[in-house]
Amino acid sequence: MMFKEVKALSSKWLSNPHQELSLHERLKRKQSIDLRDNHIIVDLGNGYDEIKPINPDKRYN
């Protein structure tokens, strides 16, 4: 017979259910665009900037 440990639903766990995963692991799972050395910054002229990828096919792996 197997038992599974039940995690208590604390407010800390509910506020961040991904706390056991690193940021890099979450980016890999979502297949996010890797912006490291792969971005240009466009000044919108209203106090905001837009970050665009140079190569949108470069993904975390």
Side-chain angles (χ1 to χ4, degrees), residues 38-55:
N38 182 32
H39 67 276
I40 56 172
I41 299 174
V42 179
D43 184 10
L44 299 177
N46 58 0
Y48 290 94
D49 295 332
E50 182 178 4
I51 301 172
K52 293 184 176 184
I54 296 169
N55 180 6

Side-chain angles (χ1 to χ4, degrees), residues 24-61:
H24 187 71
E25 182 63 32
R26 285 187 274 165
L27 291 170
K28 284 188 339 188
R29 286 185 180 186
K30 292 291 183 178
Q31 298 177 349
S32 300
I33 297 173
D34 188 357
L35 294 175
R36 298 175 293 182
D37 298 326
N38 182 32
H39 67 276
I40 56 172
I41 299 174
V42 179
D43 184 10
L44 299 177
N46 58 0
Y48 290 94
D49 295 332
E50 182 178 4
I51 301 172
K52 293 184 176 184
I54 296 169
N55 180 6
D57 295 328
K58 184 178 177 187
R59 304 290 175 161
Y60 278 96
N61 54 7

Side-chain angles (χ1 to χ4, degrees), residues 5-20:
E5 182 179 333
V6 177
K7 294 184 179 181
L9 293 177
S10 66
S11 60
K12 180 182 177 185
W13 176 260
L14 291 173
S15 66
N16 186 7
H18 306 290
Q19 58 189 332
E20 294 177 358

